[in-house]
Amino acid sequence: MVSRVIPVDEFDLVIFGGTGDLARRKILPGLFRRFLAGQMTEGSRIVGAARSDLDNAGYRQMIRDAIAEFGGAEKDDAGLDGFIDRLHYVAIDATGEGGWSALSDLVRKDVVKAFYFSVAPSLFGALAERLHTHGIADADSRIVVEKPFGRDLASAKALNDTLATHFSERQIYRIDHYLGKETVQNLMAVRFGNVLFEPLWNSHYVDHIQITVAETVGVGGRGTYYDTSGAMRDMVQNHLMQLLCLIAMEPPSVFGADEVRDEKLKVIRALQPVETHHIVRGQYDATDDAASYRTDVENPRSFTESFVAMKVNISNWRWADTPFYLRTGKKMKGRASEIAVVFKDLGHSIFEGDTARHRNILAIRLQPNEGMDLQVTIKEPGPGGMRLIDVPLDMTFADALGEDSEPATDAYERLIMDVIRGNQTLFMRGDEVEAAWAWTDPIIQGWEARNDVPKLYDQGSAGPEDAMMLMHRDSRRWRDIKS
Ligand code: NAP
């Protein structure tokens, strides 16, 4: 089987913040892989734009170095020159007037035009306005914006209003890179492309659903930013809620941008407010050889959470009585992102002496080893009679699909190709983002009003003990995070 790569239309992609960390680590190495795959049509160009005083040659060298450092196994010296030739640079200050006419001269009228705002959100307004006043963007141009999309409902609304001044919603691509992950898209293929799952996808058959995004790293160099954000804003409001929506949504009539996003929005609107005792906040503690969260963020009195676990209920017919348990944290025992759909027990076992609780579990792994497994109950092999054991039917994509699994394909490159194709299905719509903040805001405001102190947890653990209790109280338990 050979993977089919369909070239996208010829484009000019301008990356504001083209010298920044995201551009060098993710966007440009990703575009290079798409170039190597043959997806970038001849003539397509990428323009880096930032304040740094560089010319084309200087920028090309910067990106050569970035690809050497972050490009991974896909580095292909023969292809690299061809890709580097596609790069241009314009020195521009988002808030000033210099450089804009040079950009205007460079960007062509007759190709797909996309403008990636890989800069601080405070610059979005200035960029949007100048793109408009200098006549660089037109009604078909696409604008790509990054998280964080606001830090509460009011700021998200303000950002939406700023962008809406010059661009229509169908031009705006709000990136949540979790939606670009292969497994997340596969979740929809599995759910809606098979007769097997959809009849069981409801509270009659599903006991509960767990969504875990565990990281082993701490705040790294993002301490100052992270301390003003925390796990709830940085992970739950966007990534975990997007995953929850895709699991919980009703089948859209077609796999189209508005159809899918309408269904996701209905899920967010059906989320019940979370009760205080259904949330656990945590902060990682110091060990003998590793600093605490507070030391990492250089804020000895920080009350910001580096971990959160919560029980969420959805008020609709499909999910009444099926809780969703979400957890995410830093410095945990393993790096694992997983959605587990835990089906109900059989009401009765016909096998004598079989008292174990056998459960079918569909586990969708986002990382590591992207894939799915379905836990099923079978007879233990051998002559010992009808003893039952639970085994996973494993479908690791790299094994099942071999070379076609494209393991190195990153979420960013898929999403950027969708921008060029004009497909918004995997991007968040403005009303979705606002609805997500409207649900998250009261939780965060409650913590702030109470000066809520997060529970300390050991680095390398599964989070605070109270997070275990959240499940135990319901006679359930978290799935193990593999170290
Ligand atoms: P960064 O490393 O600080 O880069 C910021 C970029 O913006 C640089 O290229 C900088 O270049 C440019 N810039 C700053 N002020 C400017 C101005 N007035 N006019 C024009 N360009 C200006 O930030 P980053 O990590 O790449 O993040 C970019 C955006 O992506 C942020 O909104 C961030 O929250 C988001 N994001 C980043 C990551 C990540 O992994 N890095 C992940 C998710 C989301 P000059 O200094 O040369 O102007």
Side-chain angles (χ1 to χ4, degrees), residues 17-22 25 50-52 92-94 118-121 123 146-148 412:
T19 57
D21 175 71
L22 184 67
R25 216 158 37 81
R51 290 168 308 177
S52 299
I92 228 166
D93 185 338
S118 183
V119 293
L123 297 175
E146 269 296 335
K147 88 167 198 184
Y412 275 98

Short mmCIF file of all heavy atoms in Angstrom, two decimals, residues 17-22 25 50-52 92-94 118-121 123 146-148 412, ligand 1:
data_model
loop_
_atom_site.label_atom_id
_atom_site.label_comp_id
_atom_site.label_asym_id
_atom_site.label_seq_id
_atom_site.Cartn_x
_atom_site.Cartn_y
_atom_site.Cartn_z
N GLY A 17 6.32 36.00 13.05
CA GLY A 17 6.99 35.24 14.12
C GLY A 17 7.80 34.10 13.50
O GLY A 17 8.03 33.07 14.14
N GLY A 18 8.22 34.30 12.26
CA GLY A 18 8.93 33.25 11.51
C GLY A 18 10.30 32.91 12.08
O GLY A 18 10.90 31.91 11.67
N THR A 19 10.79 33.75 13.02
CA THR A 19 12.09 33.45 13.66
C THR A 19 11.89 32.83 15.04
O THR A 19 12.86 32.54 15.73
CB THR A 19 12.91 34.75 13.83
OG1 THR A 19 12.13 35.67 14.61
CG2 THR A 19 13.27 35.38 12.50
N GLY A 20 10.64 32.67 15.46
CA GLY A 20 10.35 32.24 16.84
C GLY A 20 10.49 30.74 17.04
O GLY A 20 10.73 29.97 16.10
N ASP A 21 10.28 30.35 18.29
CA ASP A 21 10.45 28.95 18.69
C ASP A 21 9.48 28.03 17.95
O ASP A 21 9.88 26.99 17.41
CB ASP A 21 10.21 28.87 20.21
CG ASP A 21 10.25 27.45 20.71
OD1 ASP A 21 11.35 26.87 20.73
OD2 ASP A 21 9.18 26.90 21.05
N LEU A 22 8.22 28.42 17.89
CA LEU A 22 7.23 27.55 17.25
C LEU A 22 7.54 27.37 15.76
O LEU A 22 7.46 26.27 15.21
CB LEU A 22 5.82 28.13 17.43
CG LEU A 22 4.69 27.27 16.88
CD1 LEU A 22 4.54 25.99 17.69
CD2 LEU A 22 3.37 28.03 16.88
N ARG A 25 10.75 25.19 15.48
CA ARG A 25 10.69 23.83 16.01
C ARG A 25 9.62 23.00 15.32
O ARG A 25 9.79 21.79 15.14
CB ARG A 25 10.41 23.90 17.51
CG ARG A 25 11.11 22.85 18.32
CD ARG A 25 11.25 23.25 19.78
NE ARG A 25 10.14 23.95 20.32
CZ ARG A 25 9.01 23.37 20.74
NH1 ARG A 25 8.90 22.07 20.69
NH2 ARG A 25 8.04 24.10 21.22
N ALA A 50 9.43 38.92 10.80
CA ALA A 50 9.66 39.25 12.22
C ALA A 50 10.51 40.50 12.25
O ALA A 50 10.91 41.02 11.19
CB ALA A 50 10.36 38.09 12.92
N ARG A 51 10.80 41.00 13.47
CA ARG A 51 11.55 42.26 13.55
C ARG A 51 13.04 42.07 13.27
O ARG A 51 13.72 43.00 12.86
CB ARG A 51 11.39 42.87 14.95
CG ARG A 51 10.00 43.41 15.22
CD ARG A 51 9.86 43.71 16.69
NE ARG A 51 10.24 42.54 17.50
CZ ARG A 51 10.27 42.51 18.82
NH1 ARG A 51 9.95 43.58 19.51
NH2 ARG A 51 10.60 41.41 19.46
N SER A 52 13.58 40.87 13.53
CA SER A 52 15.03 40.65 13.40
C SER A 52 15.54 41.12 12.04
O SER A 52 14.88 40.91 11.01
CB SER A 52 15.35 39.16 13.54
OG SER A 52 14.95 38.72 14.79
N ILE A 92 9.86 43.05 9.61
CA ILE A 92 8.62 43.79 9.80
C ILE A 92 8.33 43.92 11.28
O ILE A 92 8.60 42.98 12.03
CB ILE A 92 7.47 43.02 9.07
CG1 ILE A 92 6.64 43.94 8.23
CG2 ILE A 92 6.60 42.27 10.03
CD1 ILE A 92 5.74 43.22 7.27
N ASP A 93 7.83 45.06 11.68
CA ASP A 93 7.35 45.17 13.06
C ASP A 93 5.83 45.23 12.99
O ASP A 93 5.27 46.10 12.32
CB ASP A 93 7.92 46.45 13.71
CG ASP A 93 7.55 46.55 15.18
OD1 ASP A 93 6.55 45.90 15.60
OD2 ASP A 93 8.24 47.27 15.92
N ALA A 94 5.19 44.31 13.70
CA ALA A 94 3.72 44.24 13.64
C ALA A 94 3.09 45.58 14.01
O ALA A 94 2.02 45.94 13.51
CB ALA A 94 3.21 43.15 14.57
N SER A 118 2.11 33.57 14.32
CA SER A 118 2.87 32.82 15.33
C SER A 118 3.60 33.80 16.25
O SER A 118 4.82 33.77 16.37
CB SER A 118 3.85 31.87 14.63
OG SER A 118 4.52 31.09 15.58
N VAL A 119 2.80 34.69 16.82
CA VAL A 119 3.31 35.76 17.69
C VAL A 119 2.38 35.85 18.90
O VAL A 119 1.34 35.20 18.94
CB VAL A 119 3.31 37.13 16.96
CG1 VAL A 119 4.30 37.16 15.82
CG2 VAL A 119 1.91 37.47 16.45
N ALA A 120 2.75 36.70 19.86
CA ALA A 120 1.89 36.88 21.03
C ALA A 120 0.52 37.40 20.59
O ALA A 120 0.43 38.23 19.67
CB ALA A 120 2.54 37.88 21.97
N PRO A 121 -0.56 36.94 21.24
CA PRO A 121 -1.91 37.38 20.85
C PRO A 121 -2.09 38.90 20.90
O PRO A 121 -2.93 39.44 20.18
CB PRO A 121 -2.82 36.70 21.88
CG PRO A 121 -2.03 35.55 22.39
CD PRO A 121 -0.58 35.93 22.30
N LEU A 123 -0.46 40.97 19.55
CA LEU A 123 -0.11 41.56 18.24
C LEU A 123 -1.15 41.24 17.15
O LEU A 123 -1.05 41.74 16.03
CB LEU A 123 1.26 41.05 17.78
CG LEU A 123 2.46 41.44 18.67
CD1 LEU A 123 3.74 40.80 18.18
CD2 LEU A 123 2.62 42.97 18.69
N GLU A 146 -2.79 30.91 16.99
CA GLU A 146 -2.28 29.90 17.90
C GLU A 146 -2.95 30.00 19.25
O GLU A 146 -3.47 31.04 19.62
CB GLU A 146 -0.78 30.15 18.10
CG GLU A 146 0.10 29.43 17.14
CD GLU A 146 0.00 27.93 17.32
OE1 GLU A 146 -0.36 27.47 18.42
OE2 GLU A 146 0.27 27.22 16.35
N LYS A 147 -2.83 28.95 20.02
CA LYS A 147 -3.21 29.06 21.42
C LYS A 147 -2.15 29.87 22.15
O LYS A 147 -1.01 29.90 21.67
CB LYS A 147 -3.38 27.68 22.03
CG LYS A 147 -2.10 27.07 22.61
CD LYS A 147 -2.38 25.86 23.47
CE LYS A 147 -1.21 25.54 24.36
NZ LYS A 147 -1.30 24.36 25.16
N PRO A 148 -2.37 30.56 23.24
CA PRO A 148 -3.65 30.57 23.93
C PRO A 148 -4.62 31.55 23.26
O PRO A 148 -4.22 32.67 22.93
CB PRO A 148 -3.28 31.06 25.33
CG PRO A 148 -2.06 31.90 25.12
CD PRO A 148 -1.34 31.32 23.96
N TYR A 412 1.06 19.64 13.20
CA TYR A 412 1.12 20.98 12.59
C TYR A 412 1.11 20.91 11.07
O TYR A 412 0.43 21.68 10.41
CB TYR A 412 2.38 21.72 13.07
CG TYR A 412 2.16 22.41 14.38
CD1 TYR A 412 2.56 21.81 15.56
CD2 TYR A 412 1.51 23.63 14.44
CE1 TYR A 412 2.34 22.43 16.77
CE2 TYR A 412 1.29 24.26 15.65
CZ TYR A 412 1.71 23.65 16.82
OH TYR A 412 1.48 24.27 18.00
P1 NAP B 1 8.74 33.26 20.48
O1 NAP B 1 9.78 32.22 20.39
O2 NAP B 1 8.83 34.28 21.56
O3 NAP B 1 8.66 33.99 19.08
C1 NAP B 1 7.93 35.16 18.90
C2 NAP B 1 8.11 35.60 17.47
O4 NAP B 1 7.41 36.83 17.30
C3 NAP B 1 9.55 35.86 17.07
O5 NAP B 1 9.72 35.45 15.74
C4 NAP B 1 9.67 37.37 17.18
O6 NAP B 1 10.69 37.76 16.34
C5 NAP B 1 8.30 37.79 16.69
N1 NAP B 1 7.88 39.11 17.16
C6 NAP B 1 7.84 39.57 18.43
N2 NAP B 1 7.39 40.83 18.45
C7 NAP B 1 7.14 41.19 17.17
C8 NAP B 1 6.67 42.36 16.54
N3 NAP B 1 6.35 43.46 17.24
N4 NAP B 1 6.53 42.35 15.21
C9 NAP B 1 6.85 41.27 14.48
N5 NAP B 1 7.30 40.12 15.02
C10 NAP B 1 7.45 40.09 16.33
O7 NAP B 1 7.28 32.63 20.63
P2 NAP B 1 6.80 31.19 20.12
O8 NAP B 1 7.08 30.19 21.18
O9 NAP B 1 7.29 30.94 18.75
O10 NAP B 1 5.22 31.37 20.13
C11 NAP B 1 4.53 32.08 19.13
C12 NAP B 1 3.03 31.96 19.41
O11 NAP B 1 2.67 30.60 19.37
C13 NAP B 1 2.63 32.44 20.81
O12 NAP B 1 1.34 33.00 20.76
C14 NAP B 1 2.60 31.16 21.63
O13 NAP B 1 1.73 31.26 22.72
C15 NAP B 1 2.09 30.19 20.59
N6 NAP B 1 2.46 28.79 20.85
C16 NAP B 1 3.77 28.42 20.91
C17 NAP B 1 4.08 27.09 21.12
C18 NAP B 1 5.52 26.62 21.16
O14 NAP B 1 5.73 25.41 21.26
N7 NAP B 1 6.50 27.49 21.07
C19 NAP B 1 3.07 26.15 21.28
C20 NAP B 1 1.75 26.56 21.20
C21 NAP B 1 1.45 27.88 20.98
P3 NAP B 1 11.53 39.12 16.49
O15 NAP B 1 11.97 39.20 17.90
O16 NAP B 1 12.62 38.95 15.49
O17 NAP B 1 10.59 40.19 16.12
#
